[in-house]
Amino acid sequence: MSSIKKMVLIGTGNVAWHLGHALKKAGVDILQVYDRQPEKAKGFAAELSTTPLSNLSNIIEDADLYLLCVSDAAIAEVGAQLHYVRGIVAHTSGSISLNALKGNENMGVFYPLQTFTKGLPVDLNQVPFLCEGNGTQTESALMALALELSTKVYAISSAQREKLHIAAVFANNFTNHLLAKAHQICEENHIPFSVLHPLILETARKATEANPENSQTGPAKRGDTVTIEKHLSQLADPNLRELYTILTKSIQEK
Amino acid sequence: MSSIKKMVLIGTGNVAWHLGHALKKAGVDILQVYDRQPEKAKGFAAELSTTPLSNLSNIIEDADLYLLCVSDAAIAEVGAQLHYVRGIVAHTSGSISLNALKGNENMGVFYPLQTFTKGLPVDLNQVPFLCEGNGTQTESALMALALELSTKVYAISSAQREKLHIAAVFANNFTNHLLAKAHQICEENHIPFSVLHPLILETARKATEANPENSQTGPAKRGDTVTIEKHLSQLADPNLRELYTILTKSIQEK
């Protein structure tokens, strides 16, 4: 069990929604829910049967954890308003350094690496949590808390987490964008996108079994210039043509 | 049941391997296996307990189906050598028109839309088969055969299939390449790639539930220039920088 029993949740967005529900379910006492906008704080506090807070000066001071689920740009600013608390002040961002919380006695990072959609529950049990703390005790407390939500808990430095976040941009944001382009091509040609579903799922499954480099196939990989030229001649949208060209080139650059 | 009972399999590559095993298992009589290289024909024929063939002039003439699992570039050439057969001559390519087989009395397409790795069996039951024939009877026979392997069988024109093949390049080849890049970033920074597995699987799963456009997230989507600049400053590899820049721009275009 983690030493973290009582916490304040700061933020009401996507990550706050998922972590708030999961932490409550895990038995953590959520004392307050903060959002600068009173209506948002109220709504989410009601959902978690707790107290809304829209002014940080009224924050409960003896919580074990103040969990910042706010935008990257707001982390340092919100953290700076919590210098007087003794509990752990932790953010949940993939790309912000632990040092953004400098000035807080006990500071940490509690980063769930997953793509969340508000309102659609995710099985957090399989979500990797990447934790960091400015001291062994803080880091251990955060890792123990993560272990109450997930089986995949890692200690990772800010430097590594920043790199991992870039890898995640490639693995999720960019691949998702290409899937959206595949959807667009299907739609424009009256082909049900569901025809591609098995291929999409298999592509992901394979990537979890070996280095995806080894399962690369297709015209670019085999240097099939005839097919590449045919595809380009069929793409009217200049954006699709550019993506096709750059990605083909990148695959061919061994 | 399909009217196709006896067939000749032409080719010994990836697609031939998967279809050959599946069709044999479905009870189709594979009379011969052809490869220009006698050793290859022999090896694969032994695997399927049938007769090897390395000279097309010795091909059995009364098969119901001659299935071409050869490279795109070889389809027209091989098809032209089979003008005298009465059975269906069909190819298995996503990007080649039915007309490449012109001159054959009964010609068709039997295209399984999946990424295959030789030797790693795939559950064909979930693989979409896209069929086309130069007559109703030919098309129906191919579709009935596909239904013996899979529950997902579609009739689709050459024009649509070519578009679908481009969409598949985006959905598999290009996304897989980006996953390989994510793998590279992890490896260079001593982060286990397995940390990204749940994200990769969830990205694919989400794409099968709605238009991926709707679940786009990340710094590009939210116009987070600070994070984008930070990421670019951390990417030393010019190839990664170019991909990051182009894909970010593409996400931000409307």
Side-chain angles (χ1 to χ4, degrees):
Chain A
M1 281 290 283
S2 170
S3 58
I4 297 166
K5 310 288 180 207
K6 302 175 297 180
M7 65 175 286
V8 175
L9 190 58
I10 297 175
T12 59
N14 234 331
V15 173
W17 190 88
H18 285 277
L19 293 183
H21 279 282
L23 288 164
K24 183 182 155 80
K25 204 173 154 192
V28 180
D29 194 2
I30 300 176
L31 305 173
Q32 292 173 317
V33 165
Y34 169 81
D35 194 294
R36 176 169 54 176
Q37 297 175 253
E39 280 316 305
K40 285 196 176 170
K42 232 183 201 168
F44 191 39
E47 229 185 282
L48 294 179
S49 319
T50 182
T51 310
L53 176 72
S54 54
N55 184 341
L56 281 178
S57 55
N58 295 327
I59 204 164
I60 288 174
E61 290 181 33
D62 68 341
D64 303 315
L65 171 66
Y66 299 82
L67 193 62
L68 274 53
C69 306
V70 299
S71 70
D72 288 359
I75 288 171
E77 187 200 322
V78 174
Q81 293 179 65
L82 300 173
H83 281 180
Y84 54 90
V85 304
R86 301 286 304 277
I88 300 169
V89 177
H91 74 67
T92 52
S93 163
S95 60
I96 297 293
S97 164
L98 175 65
N99 278 328
L101 296 173
K102 222 162 153 174
N104 291 289
E105 191 177 331
N106 301 300
M107 59 188 186
V109 180
F110 191 77
Y111 169 50
L113 178 57
Q114 189 50 281
T115 165
F116 294 116
T117 309
K118 203 170 172 179
L120 277 184
V122 165
D123 178 9
L124 288 182
N125 191 46
Q126 293 304 308
V127 171
F129 277 77
L130 304 159
C131 302
E132 186 181 7
N134 68 330
T136 317
Q137 221 180 328
T138 299
E139 193 162 286
S140 301
L142 290 171
M143 289 182 79
L145 185 65
L147 278 167
E148 290 181 29
L149 306 182
S150 169
T151 56
K152 300 178 192 258
V153 177
Y154 303 81
I156 193 171
S157 70
S158 283
Q160 274 189 310
R161 182 164 37 76
E162 282 172 27
K163 300 291 189 182
L164 179 61
H165 188 245
I166 300 176
V169 166
F170 277 81
N172 167 263
N173 302 167
F174 292 166
T175 64
N176 185 73
H177 180 60
L178 294 178
L179 296 177
K181 292 299 176 189
H183 186 280
Q184 178 195 328
I185 295 168
C186 284
E187 205 164 52
E188 284 172 2
N189 294 284
H190 314 289
I191 301 161
F193 185 57
S194 58
V195 179
L196 286 176
H197 288 173
L199 180 68
I200 291 167
L201 293 170
E202 177 69 2
T203 304
R205 198 197 57 76
K206 264 193 183 176
T208 66
E209 300 214 324
N211 182 347
E213 184 76 40
N214 300 334
S215 45
Q216 186 67 48
T217 57
K221 172 71 176 182
R222 60 176 189 270
D224 178 352
T225 323
V226 175
T227 302
I228 293 168
E229 287 306 322
K230 196 161 75 174
H231 284 173
L232 283 171
S233 74
Q234 289 189 35
L235 289 172
D237 179 342
N239 176 244
L240 289 180
R241 288 175 57 84
E242 185 180 24
L243 289 175
Y244 191 102
T245 305
I246 296 283
L247 285 158
T248 293
K249 198 187 73 173
S250 180
I251 289 170
Q252 294 184 331
E253 273 175 16
K254 105 142 230 262
Chain B
M1 281 289 285
S2 172
S3 58
I4 296 166
K5 310 288 180 207
K6 302 176 297 180
M7 65 175 285
V8 175
L9 191 57
I10 298 175
T12 59
N14 232 333
V15 173
W17 190 88
H18 285 276
L19 293 184
H21 279 281
L23 288 164
K24 182 181 156 82
K25 205 174 155 193
V28 180
D29 194 3
I30 299 175
L31 304 173
Q32 292 172 317
V33 164
Y34 169 82
D35 194 294
R36 178 168 53 178
Q37 297 175 254
E39 282 315 306
K40 285 195 177 171
K42 231 183 202 166
F44 191 39
E47 228 184 283
L48 295 180
S49 320
T50 184
T51 309
L53 177 72
S54 55
N55 183 340
L56 280 179
S57 55
N58 296 327
I59 204 163
I60 289 175
E61 290 181 35
D62 67 341
D64 303 316
L65 172 66
Y66 299 82
L67 193 62
L68 275 54
C69 306
V70 299
S71 71
D72 287 0
I75 288 172
E77 187 200 321
V78 174
Q81 294 179 64
L82 301 173
H83 281 180
Y84 54 89
V85 304
R86 300 286 304 276
I88 300 168
V89 177
H91 74 66
T92 51
S93 162
S95 60
I96 297 293
S97 165
L98 175 65
N99 278 327
L101 297 173
K102 221 160 152 176
N104 291 290
E105 191 177 332
N106 300 301
M107 58 187 187
V109 180
F110 191 77
Y111 169 49
L113 178 58
Q114 189 50 282
T115 165
F116 294 116
T117 309
K118 203 170 172 179
L120 276 185
V122 165
D123 179 9
L124 288 182
N125 191 45
Q126 292 305 307
V127 171
F129 277 76
L130 305 159
C131 301
E132 187 181 7
N134 67 331
T136 318
Q137 221 179 327
T138 300
E139 193 162 288
S140 300
L142 290 171
M143 289 182 79
L145 184 66
L147 278 167
E148 290 180 29
L149 307 180
S150 169
T151 56
K152 300 176 192 256
V153 177
Y154 303 80
I156 192 171
S157 70
S158 284
Q160 274 189 309
R161 182 165 36 78
E162 282 173 27
K163 299 292 190 181
L164 180 59
H165 188 245
I166 301 176
V169 166
F170 277 81
N172 168 262
N173 302 167
F174 292 166
T175 63
N176 185 72
H177 180 60
L178 295 178
L179 296 177
K181 292 300 176 187
H183 186 278
Q184 177 195 328
I185 296 168
C186 284
E187 204 164 51
E188 284 172 1
N189 294 284
H190 313 290
I191 301 161
F193 186 56
S194 58
V195 178
L196 286 176
H197 288 174
L199 181 68
I200 292 167
L201 293 170
E202 177 69 2
T203 304
R205 197 196 58 75
K206 263 193 184 177
T208 65
E209 300 215 323
N211 182 346
E213 184 77 40
N214 301 334
S215 44
Q216 187 67 49
T217 57
K221 173 70 176 181
R222 60 175 188 270
D224 178 351
T225 324
V226 175
T227 301
I228 293 167
E229 288 305 323
K230 196 161 76 174
H231 284 173
L232 283 171
S233 74
Q234 288 190 36
L235 290 172
D237 179 343
N239 175 245
L240 289 180
R241 288 175 58 82
E242 185 181 23
L243 289 175
Y244 192 102
T245 305
I246 296 284
L247 285 157
T248 294
K249 197 187 73 171
S250 180
I251 290 169
Q252 293 184 331
E253 272 175 16
K254 113 148 207 69

